[in-house]
Amino acid sequence: MAEAAKEAVKTAPENTKLVENATCTFCGCVCDDMNLTVDLDNHRITKAQNACVLGRAWFTEHKLEKRPFALIDGKEATTAEGVEVAAQILANAKFPITYGLSDTTCEAQRQAVAIADMIGGCLDTTTSVCHGPSGIAFEGVGESTASLGEIKNRADLVVFWGGNPAEAHPRLFTRYALMPKGMFVPNGKKDRTAVLIDVRRTASTPVADIFIQIKPGKDFEVLWALRALVKGRKIGADIEEETGVKLEVLEDLVQRMKSCRFGAFLFGMGLTMTRGRHFNSGALLALASDLNAFTHFVAKPVRGHGNVTGADNVVSWSTGFPFGMSFARGYPRFNPGEFTTVDTLSRGDADAALIIASDPASNFPKAAIEHLKRIPTILLDPRESVTGQIAKVAFTTATYGINTTGTVYRMDDVPITLRPAFESPYPSDEEVLIAIKNRVRELLAEQHRLGSPKVAQKVA
Amino acid sequence: MASLKIVNGRVYDPANGIDGETRDICITDGRITASAPAGAKTVDAQGMVVMPGGVDIHCHIAGPKVNLARKLQPEDHRHDVHPRTAFTRSGTGGTVPSTFATGYRYATMGYTTAMEAAVTPIGARHTLEELHDTPVIDKGFYVLLGNNVLLHQLLKDGKRDELREAVAWWVNATHAYTIKLVNPGGDEAWKGRRNSVVTDLDDKSDVFGVSPREIISALVQVANELGLPHPAHIHCNNLGHSGNYTTTLETMRAAGDQRVHITHIQFHSYGGEPGKNPTSKATEISAYINEHPNVSADVGQVMFGKSTIMTADAPIAYMLRRLGKDKRWVNADTEFESGCGIIPFAYQEHIYTHALQWAIGLELFLHSKDPWRMVLSTDHPNGGSFMSYPKLIRLLMDRQFRDEQIKLVNKKAIKNTTLLDGLDREYTLNEIAIVTRAGPARLLGLKNKGHLGEGADADITIYEEDPDKEKMFSAPRYVIKSGELIIEDHEFRADHEGRVLHVAPKFDSQIEKIIRPFFESYYSVRFENYAVADRYLRHGEKIPTASPVAAE
Amino acid sequence: MSETMLLIAGRSSKQGTSLNVGKLKDEYRDVTSTVEMNALDMERLGLKEGDKVRLRSPIGETVVHCKPRKPEDLPAGMLFIAYGPPSSQLMAGDTAGTGMPISKNFRVEVLRETS
């Protein structure tokens, strides 16, 4: 890349193109109605019609930056040099872990699964620190759910629990669940009752018809009381002391839930990241299922990153398990708490890490970050990040959905094909992972010929 | 490898009238040929049976519904691991195996083609991605259109031509193999009327104004007009309910003399009164099919043990939830297209209904006068896993074994069937080759599959003869796919990526003028992003449609 | 002065937009080192907007600056911070066998930071 890095922005760019029906992958809403104006000369997006404030930032801030193709121990290197070092690390590690995957394409995710299978490592995604608990709850309870279009067209009662869509998923309100007119909700919001349940008031609160404030850490108690009331059991008035919510408020909510035509829970991290975790999610999922004795009711976990749902799907179909798994014995095993990344790092189990499209050094608990610094870490990321600063090998890759095509899954499992806006000189995550995979395969084959003891379960 | 020769094997190729003759089979470049060059690798099949590769006409192996069921049951996977080998990826099993394990295990059964039976159009992209990760077998899928809201609207408005064009558009947009109807007309009551159920074929939806019978009639006709190689594939209304055999007969009648395929027909062959214990009407159902050559079916045999109910028939899954010990339940609605229900399940010998279902399946096999039109299936995994096919084959071929098994199940159930009324029939190897290979291939219109004539795809299974037929069919000695030796001496020698079989009936693109506005008004995705790009086929094989038959 | 409060680490709109500008840039740093506190609590503790406070948990500590929120929005004894490197310093790695660390509604000590 030439000194165009200085980026003398033309005030009236002559060379633009319009990319219609592009998909924003900043959050799990994965809105596919983006109309992008692309300044081809300066390799950037200048306008993102239909995007929310987060999507606009996503598109306009992902410009082409001049960065090294790879960094090894902080020094500039080529992608190929990085691949060699990365492959050596992974082929020789005893407890390699792979993590991230929520901000890349399914095509790349598949390659990561193949590598983990080969090296007998752990495979985990950002699900484990997002709706992993809801995935665990799903395994214990099941889930009554629906695509977002069903909610848009049918839901006359929507309950937002433990989330702040106005700031984290703005178009969940505007495109999918609150405002839009639908076949059976022709007046949009006027035909709907919106309930918001949280421990504090947020920017989302004003849109709710009913706001219920819960004492922190008491979601499970409230959900369980609701389940009891739905099933016709008695709950004492002391529920208010326990949870901060009056019995009459709960009774009123139950009445509304039972009598609506199509109800929907949309729930977030307020349930998964606090005391109770999967018990909270499980209680909500069970409540939604219970309500189907009276009316049609669904629940949907609101997913954070653009393709975390894709990661769930790819890892599930390839291995049988959605996250937190290990290939160490030559076949997939699943155990949250044992193979999930916060744990394998915090306990110091991992001796090498392959991080793809994620920044755990920024957001993980302190003990996990400290260990990540101690072990050789390989990172694939288009942008600078805290993890990039501590990685032994850091690859600069193209940004999915802006520079590359590929498949992503919206939070409701709807698969969508990305339309890139402009090209990038950097390779895609998929290309880098394929190169690493091929080199790891060679190295493992060599080890087999050399009779390395590690090889017992390795693939030739 | 380019060429292969199989010698000394006893060949069963019913489509070409070969019934156990010792013959050589020659393969060149993935096809069966009259001869092979001098240096061709030779497989000595002395003492072995040579058949075309198995064809599963109805199973649930790939897509959004399957993946939900996979995620739901980690305990199922934990007990059935699938280690990687030098050639093959690892995976897990149980009744909903991971994709790699699915492909390898089908191959291990000697099956080389399998059709995923029910995919929502919006989920077609997902199914194709999973099929890409399902090795060895050739595969395809049926697209759910029986509860498609736009199609209902066109039908209601009497727009018959537009209906046909829209169906063709949808089949093309998804790269499907044929159209699937599941509980046609039942979705709106479930989603929009507080989980109500449609039981009457003539019940016109108060929202969309069309009845199940109208939908069935129209779509059966459209599939044939479009010249689809496999006709409309129907999961009838009232699945599982006592007395539902009348619905099944009416559904078959609604097809008139048009080609139609009724799937997992065992679940639709019950007498008795609604709400009470079912009885068997297998004899009546068999008789209708025997007398109507336009109708074909697959059995949907129940096999005792673990299963997973996964179906686009959301209401029946919800109803079944109350019956089992495992209370987990998944429901997933898909906008304007379909729904689905999933519950973990197990069939038990001592339970009346389960034993009856098992017996009815066997009755359907044993009463069938035309094995070409009564295909072997378990509606995997609803009736049982495809891994139970060898045991099922033994039940059909070995009367003594069958009688022993009958003694182990609920006696009252057996009394309500004809199983003990001198049903001594034993399926021959020829008939097994028909119900597991030649028949389904023919019904699917796959001219190059299910037989070993010149020009056929070289998909071949070689079994070691054994008096224990379950053992024989559990572990073929050799499996050849597209002329490549995939399994040799019971072990994997290579990995292989099969093809996606799909059809592309002609349609008038003007129909988009009707479809697009519907999307813009209601769907949550853009019309432009809906149709699936060709690249998702990876290795696709387009099966030709017949010349369109003019609508009456 | 030290008091125990409940910390919620979560997303905010500004965090989302500044994340895109760059994780290592000032805007993101600023957003993730701002803790929102109940206005009456702040008054009681003698804190003004922008004052530095030290948040301490059994795991570690971090210095951030505070911003008032109306009491009807953020109850007494509760804090909100956009998650990032500062809040990570306070998070325990124990996931109770679930893979998920607690990052909402956990106790931290709040100390006035004078320097």
Side-chain angles (χ1 to χ4, degrees), chain C residues 36-43 68-71 74-78:
Chain C
E36 293 178 1
M37 197 184 293
N38 175 294
L40 293 175
D41 281 344
M42 277 181 68
E43 212 184 288
R69 288 283 305 204
K70 287 189 247 166
L74 190 62
M78 251 194 249

Side-chain angles (χ1 to χ4, degrees), chain B residues 506-547:
Chain B
K506 283 204 182 61
F507 68 93
D508 183 350
S509 59
Q510 290 293 303
I511 194 65
E512 291 186 2
K513 293 206 171 94
I514 292 182
I515 300 176
R516 180 191 292 267
F518 186 84
F519 268 77
E520 281 163 7
S521 300
Y522 302 120
Y523 265 84
S524 66
V525 291
R526 298 285 294 162
F527 174 76
E528 290 79 4
N529 290 330
Y530 184 76
V532 182
D534 288 348
R535 72 168 175 84
Y536 285 89
L537 285 166
R538 309 289 178 162
H539 303 287
E541 182 180 341
K542 185 156 69 179
I543 303 297
T545 48
S547 311

Side-chain angles (χ1 to χ4, degrees), chain A residues 110 117 145 147 150 296 457, chain B residues 84 133 191 195 331 335:
Chain A
R110 287 177 66 249
D117 196 353
T145 193
S147 70
E150 287 284 7
H296 201 84
Q457 288 159 31
Chain B
R84 64 169 175 266
D133 276 345
K191 296 177 193 174
N195 301 345
N331 171 75
E335 58 215 66

Side-chain angles (χ1 to χ4, degrees), chain A residues 255-277:
Chain A
Q255 185 44 37
R256 288 172 190 273
M257 293 192 298
K258 279 164 110 167
S259 57
C260 74
R261 232 181 25 242
F262 188 112
F265 285 112
L266 288 148
F267 64 103
M269 304 288 94
L271 287 183
T272 62
M273 288 182 169
T274 190
R275 164 189 172 264
R277 297 179 258 223

Side-chain angles (χ1 to χ4, degrees), chain B residues 443-514:
Chain B
L443 292 175
L444 286 168
L446 292 169
K447 294 189 165 57
N448 295 328
K449 293 212 185 292
H451 72 98
L452 298 173
E454 259 183 77
D457 290 342
D459 297 344
I460 304 165
T461 310
I462 304 174
Y463 298 101
E464 284 161 323
E465 284 236 54
D466 196 303
D468 179 346
K469 297 298 177 239
E470 184 176 351
K471 190 165 162 217
M472 174 174 162
F473 281 90
S474 296
R477 180 82 171 264
Y478 300 94
V479 175
I480 294 155
K481 178 73 189 70
S482 304
E484 250 201 281
L485 204 49
I486 302 296
I487 292 177
E488 183 179 10
D489 293 331
H490 302 292
E491 287 191 3
F492 274 90
R493 295 292 182 222
D495 207 340
H496 178 82
E497 184 170 351
R499 298 188 294 275
V500 174
L501 309 169
H502 63 108
V503 298
K506 283 204 182 61
F507 68 93
D508 183 350
S509 59
Q510 290 293 303
I511 194 65
E512 291 186 2
K513 293 206 171 94
I514 292 182

Side-chain angles (χ1 to χ4, degrees), chain B residues 145-146 152 155 181 184-185 210-220:
Chain B
L145 291 178
H152 286 189
L155 185 60
L181 285 70
V210 286
S211 68
R213 193 190 300 269
E214 288 168 324
I215 298 164
I216 293 162
S217 208
L219 291 181
V220 165

Side-chain angles (χ1 to χ4, degrees), chain A residues 107-190:
Chain A
E107 289 76 3
Q109 291 162 353
R110 287 177 66 249
Q111 298 302 332
V113 179
I115 294 171
D117 196 353
M118 232 186 258
I119 62 180
C122 282
L123 178 66
D124 186 29
T125 75
T126 67
T127 292
S128 64
V129 295
C130 164
H131 267 291
S134 307
I136 293 170
F138 175 86
E139 291 163 348
V141 172
E143 179 175 299
S144 171
T145 193
S147 70
L148 290 175
E150 287 284 7
I151 296 174
K152 168 185 162 177
N153 283 282
R154 294 185 185 276
D156 58 340
L157 174 69
V158 193
V159 182
F160 299 94
W161 201 309
N164 182 6
E167 296 204 58
H169 297 85
R171 294 188 89 213
L172 188 63
F173 280 163
T174 54
R175 192 187 190 212
Y176 300 110
L178 188 68
M179 312 301 298
K181 297 185 162 84
M183 188 180 273
F184 301 98
V185 216
N187 299 307
K189 186 170 191 298
K190 293 201 196 77

